[in-house]
PDB file of all heavy atoms in Angstrom:
ATOM      1  N   SER A  29      16.176  29.752 -22.443  1.00  0.00           N
ATOM      2  CA  SER A  29      17.339  29.608 -23.326  1.00  0.00           C
ATOM      3  C   SER A  29      17.013  30.022 -24.754  1.00  0.00           C
ATOM      4  O   SER A  29      17.915  30.305 -25.530  1.00  0.00           O
ATOM      5  CB  SER A  29      17.858  28.171 -23.304  1.00  0.00           C
ATOM      6  OG  SER A  29      16.906  27.304 -23.881  1.00  0.00           O
ATOM      7  N   GLY A  30      15.736  30.090 -25.110  1.00  0.00           N
ATOM      8  CA  GLY A  30      15.332  30.471 -26.464  1.00  0.00           C
ATOM      9  C   GLY A  30      15.046  31.948 -26.635  1.00  0.00           C
ATOM     10  O   GLY A  30      14.606  32.376 -27.698  1.00  0.00           O
ATOM     11  N   ILE A  31      15.288  32.742 -25.606  1.00  0.00           N
ATOM     12  CA  ILE A  31      15.021  34.177 -25.688  1.00  0.00           C
ATOM     13  C   ILE A  31      16.052  34.830 -26.594  1.00  0.00           C
ATOM     14  O   ILE A  31      17.240  34.549 -26.509  1.00  0.00           O
ATOM     15  CB  ILE A  31      15.083  34.814 -24.278  1.00  0.00           C
ATOM     16  CG1 ILE A  31      13.947  34.273 -23.425  1.00  0.00           C
ATOM     17  CG2 ILE A  31      15.011  36.328 -24.368  1.00  0.00           C
ATOM     18  CD1 ILE A  31      14.041  34.704 -21.983  1.00  0.00           C
ATOM     19  N   GLY A  32      15.583  35.739 -27.461  1.00  0.00           N
ATOM     20  CA  GLY A  32      16.482  36.430 -28.367  1.00  0.00           C
ATOM     21  C   GLY A  32      16.096  37.894 -28.503  1.00  0.00           C
ATOM     22  O   GLY A  32      15.020  38.312 -28.070  1.00  0.00           O
ATOM     23  N   PRO A  33      16.967  38.692 -29.110  1.00  0.00           N
ATOM     24  CA  PRO A  33      16.676  40.124 -29.297  1.00  0.00           C
ATOM     25  C   PRO A  33      15.381  40.328 -30.074  1.00  0.00           C
ATOM     26  O   PRO A  33      15.088  39.624 -31.036  1.00  0.00           O
ATOM     27  CB  PRO A  33      17.876  40.631 -30.102  1.00  0.00           C
ATOM     28  CG  PRO A  33      18.961  39.661 -29.796  1.00  0.00           C
ATOM     29  CD  PRO A  33      18.290  38.335 -29.599  1.00  0.00           C
ATOM     30  N   GLY A  34      14.594  41.292 -29.606  1.00  0.00           N
ATOM     31  CA  GLY A  34      13.325  41.605 -30.257  1.00  0.00           C
ATOM     32  C   GLY A  34      12.123  40.937 -29.614  1.00  0.00           C
ATOM     33  O   GLY A  34      10.988  41.331 -29.869  1.00  0.00           O
ATOM     34  N   ASP A  35      12.343  39.940 -28.775  1.00  0.00           N
ATOM     35  CA  ASP A  35      11.237  39.260 -28.096  1.00  0.00           C
ATOM     36  C   ASP A  35      10.659  40.173 -27.015  1.00  0.00           C
ATOM     37  O   ASP A  35      11.393  40.867 -26.322  1.00  0.00           O
ATOM     38  CB  ASP A  35      11.699  37.965 -27.417  1.00  0.00           C
ATOM     39  CG  ASP A  35      12.135  36.902 -28.399  1.00  0.00           C
ATOM     40  OD1 ASP A  35      11.854  37.052 -29.598  1.00  0.00           O
ATOM     41  OD2 ASP A  35      12.764  35.920 -27.963  1.00  0.00           O
ATOM     42  N   GLU A  36       9.336  40.169 -26.896  1.00  0.00           N
ATOM     43  CA  GLU A  36       8.684  40.893 -25.808  1.00  0.00           C
ATOM     44  C   GLU A  36       8.466  39.904 -24.679  1.00  0.00           C
ATOM     45  O   GLU A  36       7.885  38.844 -24.897  1.00  0.00           O
ATOM     46  CB  GLU A  36       7.367  41.488 -26.263  1.00  0.00           C
ATOM     47  CG  GLU A  36       7.526  42.594 -27.275  1.00  0.00           C
ATOM     48  CD  GLU A  36       6.193  43.182 -27.688  1.00  0.00           C
ATOM     49  OE1 GLU A  36       5.297  43.313 -26.831  1.00  0.00           O
ATOM     50  OE2 GLU A  36       6.052  43.486 -28.876  1.00  0.00           O
ATOM     51  N   VAL A  37       8.936  40.252 -23.466  1.00  0.00           N
ATOM     52  CA  VAL A  37       8.871  39.333 -22.337  1.00  0.00           C
ATOM     53  C   VAL A  37       8.274  40.021 -21.112  1.00  0.00           C
ATOM     54  O   VAL A  37       8.161  41.244 -21.055  1.00  0.00           O
ATOM     55  CB  VAL A  37      10.271  38.780 -21.984  1.00  0.00           C
ATOM     56  CG1 VAL A  37      10.853  37.985 -23.128  1.00  0.00           C
ATOM     57  CG2 VAL A  37      11.210  39.890 -21.574  1.00  0.00           C
ATOM     58  N   VAL A  38       7.901  39.188 -20.127  1.00  0.00           N
ATOM     59  CA  VAL A  38       7.435  39.661 -18.825  1.00  0.00           C
ATOM     60  C   VAL A  38       8.344  39.041 -17.778  1.00  0.00           C
ATOM     61  O   VAL A  38       8.611  37.839 -17.817  1.00  0.00           O
ATOM     62  CB  VAL A  38       5.977  39.224 -18.562  1.00  0.00           C
ATOM     63  CG1 VAL A  38       5.529  39.687 -17.194  1.00  0.00           C
ATOM     64  CG2 VAL A  38       5.058  39.744 -19.625  1.00  0.00           C
ATOM     65  N   THR A  39       8.822  39.856 -16.843  1.00  0.00           N
ATOM     66  CA  THR A  39       9.659  39.333 -15.766  1.00  0.00           C
ATOM     67  C   THR A  39       8.774  38.791 -14.647  1.00  0.00           C
ATOM     68  O   THR A  39       7.565  39.019 -14.638  1.00  0.00           O
ATOM     69  CB  THR A  39      10.581  40.423 -15.192  1.00  0.00           C
ATOM     70  OG1 THR A  39       9.772  41.417 -14.568  1.00  0.00           O
ATOM     71  CG2 THR A  39      11.449  41.045 -16.273  1.00  0.00           C
ATOM     72  N   ILE A  40       9.382  38.105 -13.683  1.00  0.00           N
ATOM     73  CA  ILE A  40       8.615  37.573 -12.567  1.00  0.00           C
ATOM     74  C   ILE A  40       8.039  38.694 -11.705  1.00  0.00           C
ATOM     75  O   ILE A  40       7.080  38.478 -10.972  1.00  0.00           O
ATOM     76  CB  ILE A  40       9.458  36.603 -11.704  1.00  0.00           C
ATOM     77  CG1 ILE A  40      10.710  37.270 -11.192  1.00  0.00           C
ATOM     78  CG2 ILE A  40       9.751  35.344 -12.450  1.00  0.00           C
ATOM     79  CD1 ILE A  40      11.521  36.428 -10.234  1.00  0.00           C
ATOM     80  N   GLY A  41       8.579  39.889 -11.820  1.00  0.00           N
ATOM     81  CA  GLY A  41       8.066  41.048 -11.093  1.00  0.00           C
ATOM     82  C   GLY A  41       6.949  41.763 -11.817  1.00  0.00           C
ATOM     83  O   GLY A  41       6.374  42.723 -11.314  1.00  0.00           O
ATOM     84  N   GLY A  42       6.615  41.319 -13.047  1.00  0.00           N
ATOM     85  CA  GLY A  42       5.529  41.924 -13.802  1.00  0.00           C
ATOM     86  C   GLY A  42       5.956  43.030 -14.749  1.00  0.00           C
ATOM     87  O   GLY A  42       5.121  43.740 -15.291  1.00  0.00           O
ATOM     88  N   LEU A  43       7.249  43.199 -14.967  1.00  0.00           N
ATOM     89  CA  LEU A  43       7.762  44.248 -15.847  1.00  0.00           C
ATOM     90  C   LEU A  43       7.767  43.751 -17.292  1.00  0.00           C
ATOM     91  O   LEU A  43       8.347  42.705 -17.586  1.00  0.00           O
ATOM     92  CB  LEU A  43       9.179  44.644 -15.428  1.00  0.00           C
ATOM     93  CG  LEU A  43       9.817  45.762 -16.236  1.00  0.00           C
ATOM     94  CD1 LEU A  43       9.179  47.095 -15.834  1.00  0.00           C
ATOM     95  CD2 LEU A  43      11.294  45.812 -15.967  1.00  0.00           C
TER      96      LEU A  43
END
Side-chain angles (χ1 to χ4, degrees):
S29 67
I31 294 172
D35 293 347
E36 292 181 38
V37 298
V38 178
T39 65
I40 57 175
L43 182 74

